Amino acid sequence: MALFSDLPRGDLREIVRQFTPNWFAANMGTGILALMVGAFPYPFWGQSPLAQGLWIINGLFFCLFAGLFLGRAIFYPASFRRLFGHPVQSLFIGAIPMGLATIINGGLLLRPHSGPALEMALVFWWVDVALSVLSVLVVPYFMFTAQEHAIERMTAAWLLPIVPPEVAAASGGLLAPHLATGGATMVIYISYVLWAISVPLALGILTILFLRLTLHKLPHADMAVSAWLPLGPLGTGALALVLLGDADTQAFAATPLAQLAAFGQMGGIFIAFLLWGFGLWWMAMAGLFTLRYLHEGLPFNMGWWGFTFPLGVYTAATFALAHDTDFGVLAPLGAGFTLLLAFFWVLVTWRSFQGMWSGQLFHAPCLSEETGLLEGVCTLPPPGTGPDLLESLRR
């Protein structure tokens, strides 16, 4: 099989013209795996080098994807504008700031701290905030004004442009304790605003999603993995509250807001537990949905990265709650989630490299003459008969 043999006209420039933001979902999945390997509560040989290695690889791929995405915007502006009119591909714009957040968090958790490194992390955090705000404003605006949507075609992918602000809020909770008091309080205030922008919108979408599933049943198998996406806002929303509550007690300890900071920490843990419990229900439903889809066949597409980041941030919330409480079941439960995350990552990475090698994943649905919903995930045909995920496992 020739490398990139299935690209239109065999021209490598088509990689740039047809590059889609769903590739940044690979950054999200790889980055969160690096963080969860580093946070794994039962130390093992090579734990730190493995976590740092994944983080470095993730950073390199983010730079590559960012270059390709900017190249499409600069050299193919007409093609780039069509992205915003596509009802599925435009949603993945939210993957860009979320992928960047994993790099920022990895720099804070997996690498030694220094003055220049912290200053760089703060700059990147502001960039992440700006991209997150653009995502939560621009994509819904096009959904409201230019795109065609219907309740029966809705999936949890609607969450993708909504979640980035709360991911940036969680990063702010990690960053604030490393800053001077003035900078820390500013980051904390902004992070709470970002959380407030994102989480209520996400909960509203989940309510509509419940209605859609009740009335119109499960989506097509091409969007099957979207069942795992609700873990993202619930896990990140819980994680952000725990991290911001811990940062409150440090940043406001010697200020008139000290009592409010203590309330923020306790209230954050309480609300985080509620979100975590809600996420546990969604995880169970996602598992049941996936088992059902296995019997129908799961064609591979870039949406399979939805197995990774939502589960990863939910695992991060589990570890954060385990750290701040005495609920002993959380640490081993989080360890089990991490092993499941690693399994998903290996499987999806292998299939992604297969698609890259063949060139079949370098296709922008928004440039196709057909505009159906199922094109939004760049589906690969099943490699054989029978359920595709089972076929992948046998390989």
Side-chain angles (χ1 to χ4, degrees), residues 96-134:
I96 301 174
M98 289 191 282
L100 178 58
T102 65
I103 298 172
I104 297 170
N105 296 349
L108 294 170
L109 294 173
L110 303 176
R111 304 289 292 181
H113 301 317
S114 64
L118 289 175
E119 292 176 3
M120 184 176 298
L122 180 60
V123 171
F124 282 139
W125 183 78
W126 281 111
V127 172
D128 191 60
V129 169
L131 292 175
S132 298
V133 172
L134 284 174

Side-chain angles (χ1 to χ4, degrees), residues 278-299:
F278 190 16
L280 199 61
W281 182 87
W282 271 108
M283 178 183 288
M285 294 304 297
L288 292 173
F289 292 167
T290 303
L291 291 175
R292 181 184 177 94
Y293 279 117
L294 282 176
H295 296 286
E296 303 174 4
L298 277 178

Side-chain angles (χ1 to χ4, degrees), residues 27 53-66 103:
N27 286 126
L54 287 169
W55 176 74
I56 292 171
I57 292 171
N58 189 48
L60 294 175
F61 272 102
F62 183 87
C63 293
L64 172 63
F65 295 158
I103 298 172

Side-chain angles (χ1 to χ4, degrees), residues 108 114-115 118-119 122 125-126 172-189 247-248 250-255:
L108 294 170
S114 64
L118 289 175
E119 292 176 3
L122 180 60
W125 183 78
W126 281 111
L174 283 176
L175 178 63
H178 301 287
L179 304 176
T181 301
T185 55
M186 176 64 69
V187 168
I188 290 172
Y189 289 145
D248 288 348
Q250 298 182 46
F252 301 113
T255 71

Side-chain angles (χ1 to χ4, degrees), residues 19 33 69 78-79 95 177 230 241 245 257 310 333 337 348-350 372 391:
F19 184 82
L33 177 62
F69 189 71
S79 162
L241 287 179
L257 296 177
L333 195 59
F337 294 159
V348 179
T349 299
W350 172 247
E391 191 75 22

Side-chain angles (χ1 to χ4, degrees), residues 7-256:
L7 285 174
R9 301 196 309 272
D11 190 345
L12 293 181
R13 289 176 296 182
E14 287 295 294
I15 296 177
V16 175
R17 192 176 77 89
Q18 304 220 30
F19 184 82
T20 54
N22 56 4
W23 283 96
F24 287 95
N27 286 126
M28 297 164 59
T30 304
I32 197 63
L33 177 62
L35 295 173
M36 293 305 96
V37 169
F40 197 74
Y42 307 107
F44 59 91
W45 181 84
Q47 179 178 3
S48 180
L50 176 60
Q52 294 190 29
L54 287 169
W55 176 74
I56 292 171
I57 292 171
N58 189 48
L60 294 175
F61 272 102
F62 183 87
C63 293
L64 172 63
F65 295 158
L68 292 172
F69 189 71
L70 290 174
R72 179 178 175 182
I74 295 170
F75 298 109
Y76 302 99
S79 162
F80 183 76
R81 286 193 296 270
R82 292 182 66 177
L83 169 68
F84 294 91
H86 195 277
V88 177
Q89 279 295 303
S90 60
L91 303 176
F92 284 91
I93 290 174
I96 301 174
M98 289 191 282
L100 178 58
T102 65
I103 298 172
I104 297 170
N105 296 349
L108 294 170
L109 294 173
L110 303 176
R111 304 289 292 181
H113 301 317
S114 64
L118 289 175
E119 292 176 3
M120 184 176 298
L122 180 60
V123 171
F124 282 139
W125 183 78
W126 281 111
V127 172
D128 191 60
V129 169
L131 292 175
S132 298
V133 172
L134 284 174
S135 172
V136 80
L137 290 177
V138 172
V139 178
Y141 174 79
F142 279 95
M143 292 175 70
F144 300 158
T145 60
Q147 300 172 5
E148 294 294 332
H149 292 274
I151 187 67
E152 64 270 18
R153 298 200 304 269
M154 176 199 182
T155 70
W158 281 19
L159 293 166
L160 288 171
I162 303 301
V163 176
E166 63 183 89
V167 176
S171 297
L174 283 176
L175 178 63
H178 301 287
L179 304 176
T181 301
T185 55
M186 176 64 69
V187 168
I188 290 172
Y189 289 145
I190 292 175
S191 295
Y192 275 119
V193 172
L194 292 171
W195 189 95
I197 290 172
S198 180
V199 174
L201 283 173
L203 292 176
I205 290 174
L206 291 180
T207 302
I208 300 171
L209 180 63
F210 187 97
L211 176 65
R212 176 254 180 270
L213 291 171
T214 302
L215 297 180
H216 302 287
K217 312 312 173 190
L218 298 182
H220 190 277
D222 285 351
M223 299 298 290
V225 182
S226 66
W228 291 81
L229 296 183
L231 288 177
L234 298 175
T236 309
L239 175 65
L241 287 179
V242 174
L243 294 176
L244 287 170
D246 292 343
D248 288 348
T249 59
Q250 298 182 46
F252 301 113
T255 71

